Amino acid sequence: MSRDPRYDILFEPVQIGPVTAKNRFYQVPHCNGGGYRDPSAVAEMRRVKSEGGWGVIFTEQVELHHSSEISPFIELHLWDDDDMPMLAKMSEAMHEYDALAGIELAYSGVNGPNLYSKEVPRAPSAMPIRTFTNDPVSARAMTRKDIRDLRRWHRNAFKRAKNAGYDLVCLYGAHGFGIIQHFLSTATNHRTDEYGGSLENRSRLMRELIEEGKDAIGDTCGITLRLSLDEAIGELGFSNNEVRDLIDMHSELPDLWDLAHGAWEDCSGPSRFKEEAAQQDLVSGIKSLTSKPVVGVGRFTSPDVMVKQVKSGTLDFIGCARPSIADPFLPKKIDEGRIEDIRECIGCNICISGDMTMSISRCTQNPTFMEEWRKGWHPEKMQAKGESESVLVVGAGPAGLEAARALGLRGYQVVLADAGTQLGGRVARERHLPGLSAWGRVADYREYQLSQMENVDIYLDNRLSADNILEFGFQHVVLATGSTWRNDGVARVHVVPMPTDGSIPVYTPDDIMNGLKPGGDVILFDDDHYYMGGVIAEKLVEQGARVTLVTPAAYVSEWTNNTLEQAAIHRRLVELGVDIILNQSVVQIAEQRVESECVFSGQRTNYRAGAVIMVTSRVGNDALWNELLARENEWKEHGIDSIKLIGDAQSPAPIAWATYAGHRYARELDMPDIGDDLPFRREVAELKS
Ligand code: ADP
Ligand code: SF4
């Protein structure tokens, strides 16, 4: 297949200072939870993007000096020459298929608590450090000497970046994370010298750094600037109007304007709260202020939307972080006319949770993300099948669908059976909940891929029993039979069922997804802490109930702090009139009353309610597995070599865990048993004397 001429414009080369990008696909800097701890894993992840056709590929945030660092978060360092080899490995990987290699340099200023380096943080003005974790640390105001030092450190970093093979050096002044923004914003810059006050003064450091960068490495490297379109923190913040004034004032200064938005949670809004191209109004018209190229983001996955951004004169480059994670081959697929093959980002922000939890990122749609080096997994290619021929996949939720897709790619004869009448399992249901429609892409992508495979047959409306499975006699059987929400309150607060006298009906998210509509006063007890409690509350209000959400956590949907949506969820629930009761657990239901208890004081409160919804935990649907396990001695006579349980059925978790489990199953089938060996590669720190 060849490219649709409509998309030709996306493949035009664009110049950035002294270098030229081969096309308009620009992977903006993004975290991955690996950083300096897993440099080869990060390098390989970026190499795969190079193979996937991106014109520009950036590193994540790279701390340019040890006096400003954001531990415990794991990004990259360029503190001295020791960091060069890992950065050079990355640029080399980015170059492999002719992408421009970009490095994002950050001096974190008021955002860097320096928990590791123990240096006193420096910022334009003295104030408490501004981080996710409200660290009890303050920054001191920078003196003129400090500013001179900072400029020298930048010059050193520019030279190191060039020597490490980078073509583009981006100065980070967005998301509240970079010192350039701290100088630009009157919220963080209260100086009265030539670096404070007027916009010209507040932009002095930015100008000096860019000019000095150009002097140092501008002959071969483009110097780009990353700003937020609006700091989005009210009157004192660096507003969209001021951003426009700044670009007007310094229109030709950087070689490219890279326009992010607000804080990270504004920029990486989940699909639950933000549409594709959500920053349209904030960015439109900026291009007319400068002759330099402009890149913007907006979870772009649709080539038509991308073309519109370019044709309307809004953007020169299509900036992508999450869409490039979900599908590293997005540009190549557009180029080859394979639009249906694009694995669209669902906007769930699970990838971000890897960074927030300092572990390593996962992607719901792309289970190979950050496993390219650790496990040698490629997002588009599977190894050929092993010696066996046939596999039965039971359950077509995320785990079963991904297992079937990946097994199909390997060349096995696959049968995928599901008790329901449509593919998707939990996502077929959850996609109808408020704000979650994009999550349906988990099923849609796989449904199309499976429809193209002659070696995969799908049987819907087929609830299989142990007898059925034994009779069929597939060589391998994988059970991905999902999970069910409990209605007895068991989770973290209650490790055994909660006392109830049955005087008030108790329901679960499954009941609500099945169409149940409790009216009147409803108590929702959330001891699950991810998105489901908030979403079900929203659904209940939509259906006309008055909802009180009770949770033992200090935040509604507490874990969504890791997916950057907690504040938006709280705001939405307040707007809907949901009563939010924090730090309380529902402890019993008796005599038509729901009783809660303060997690700190033990003080009890009673509520009247017509129904209680337990959003507490799920149990794996493993009855079929247990039945088959009990009949293990019959497997051989039916020609069955293995039966395995995966996904939510084995251990309920977010969807990304299920697609990973399905993929892993397919990768490991017929592979040699590695025994007690570590199932992934890792890097171990080199010891110094
Ligand atoms: P996961 O997230 O692990 O993929 P899901 O709950 O999304 O789990 O999907 C499980 C799927 O398994 C559902 O679509 C369900 O209809 C199907 N299923 C469960 N038990 C059986 C069975 N005995 N036979 C066929 N399909 C089943
Ligand atoms: Fe998109 Fe979710 Fe994957 Fe992140 S984890 S890239 S938001 S699908």
Side-chain angles (χ1 to χ4, degrees), residues 536-547:
I536 291 289
E538 217 176 314
K539 176 83 181 164
L540 292 168
V541 171
E542 225 174 61
Q543 293 177 176
R546 282 183 304 276
V547 182

Side-chain angles (χ1 to χ4, degrees), residues 86-374:
M86 75 168 68
L87 288 168
K89 184 171 186 177
M90 251 170 253
S91 71
E92 208 177 293
M94 293 163 175
H95 282 148
E96 189 163 332
Y97 297 84
D98 301 326
L100 292 180
I103 183 168
E104 182 187 48
L105 296 181
Y107 192 86
S108 304
V110 81
N111 181 245
N114 293 349
L115 303 177
Y116 178 84
S117 69
K118 301 186 182 175
E119 297 289 345
V120 174
R122 301 157 188 224
S125 301
M127 60 171 59
I129 288 294
R130 296 157 77 84
T131 57
F132 292 115
T133 39
N134 293 326
D135 301 294
V137 179
S138 302
R140 67 170 171 80
M142 291 171 77
T143 62
R144 285 200 176 82
K145 176 177 179 307
D146 290 331
I147 292 177
R148 285 197 299 277
D149 287 345
L150 182 64
R151 288 165 54 185
R152 189 180 61 260
W153 297 336
H154 271 82
R155 288 195 296 273
N156 292 342
F158 288 139
K159 286 180 204 148
R160 287 196 174 106
K162 174 177 166 163
N163 290 336
Y166 288 89
D167 311 296
L168 296 171
V169 176
C170 170
L171 290 170
Y172 195 18
H175 302 144
F177 294 159
I179 196 155
I180 290 174
Q181 181 179 354
H182 308 152
F183 268 89
L184 287 173
S185 169
T186 50
T188 41
N189 182 348
H190 309 148
R191 299 175 75 95
T192 52
D193 63 2
E194 68 275 25
Y195 288 94
S198 67
L199 182 60
E200 192 180 354
N201 281 356
R202 281 180 279 131
S203 59
R204 187 174 307 277
L205 176 70
M206 175 200 96
R207 184 172 55 71
E208 289 170 344
L209 293 178
I210 295 174
E211 284 171 354
E212 288 167 12
K214 284 190 163 175
D215 281 349
I217 55 166
D219 54 336
T220 59
C221 297
I223 309 285
T224 75
L225 179 63
R226 186 152 217 230
L227 296 175
S228 283
L229 281 163
D230 192 323
E231 198 176 358
I233 56 163
E235 248 173 54
L236 278 177
F238 196 55
S239 67
N240 191 246
N241 283 340
E242 273 207 303
V243 170
R244 286 166 194 263
D245 290 346
L246 177 92
I247 295 175
D248 202 20
M249 186 182 286
H250 300 287
S251 59
E252 308 305 302
L253 184 63
D255 292 315
L256 170 143
W257 295 95
D258 176 348
L259 301 172
H261 176 48
W264 192 12
E265 50 270 43
D266 302 306
C267 198
S268 294
S271 56
R272 188 170 163 191
F273 298 102
K274 286 210 170 159
E275 298 288 313
E276 184 171 358
Q279 270 114 254
Q280 175 72 31
D281 291 347
L282 289 168
V283 76
S284 113
I286 286 187
K287 236 186 84 59
S288 66
L289 302 174
T290 172
S291 73
K292 302 291 181 180
V294 171
V295 56
V297 288
R299 220 175 55 248
F300 295 116
T301 56
S302 144
D304 292 306
V305 175
M306 296 176 191
V307 166
K308 207 165 144 214
Q309 294 290 319
V310 179
K311 283 206 167 149
S312 64
T314 310
L315 300 177
D316 297 289
F317 282 103
I318 304 303
C320 295
R322 290 168 293 173
S324 77
I325 292 172
D327 197 342
F329 276 61
L330 191 147
K332 202 158 194 207
K333 288 176 183 174
I334 298 174
D335 193 22
E336 293 174 353
R338 295 165 50 211
I339 306 302
E340 285 80 9
D341 286 334
I342 295 173
R343 194 167 44 242
E344 287 184 287
C345 166
I346 71 165
C348 61
N349 285 1
I350 278 292
C351 46
I352 292 170
S353 75
D355 192 62
M356 295 294 284
T357 56
M358 299 138 230
S359 44
I360 199 159
S361 288
R362 297 174 183 258
C363 170
T364 302
Q365 279 285 59
N366 173 14
T368 68
F369 182 55
M370 291 307 284
E371 301 298 348
E372 301 88 346
W373 179 83
R374 294 207 316 168

Side-chain angles (χ1 to χ4, degrees), residues 394-400 417-420 424-427 462-465 480-483 621 624 646-649 658:
V394 184
D418 197 287
R426 60 183 288 190
V427 296
N462 256 288
R463 179 167 294 279
L464 302 185
S465 63
T481 45
S483 62
N621 300 329
L624 184 57
I646 63 165
D648 286 338

Side-chain angles (χ1 to χ4, degrees), residues 635-648:
W635 296 4
K636 261 234 138 36
E637 69 194 68
H638 291 283
I640 297 176
D641 291 338
S642 78
I643 302 183
K644 289 203 167 143
L645 181 71
I646 63 165
D648 286 338

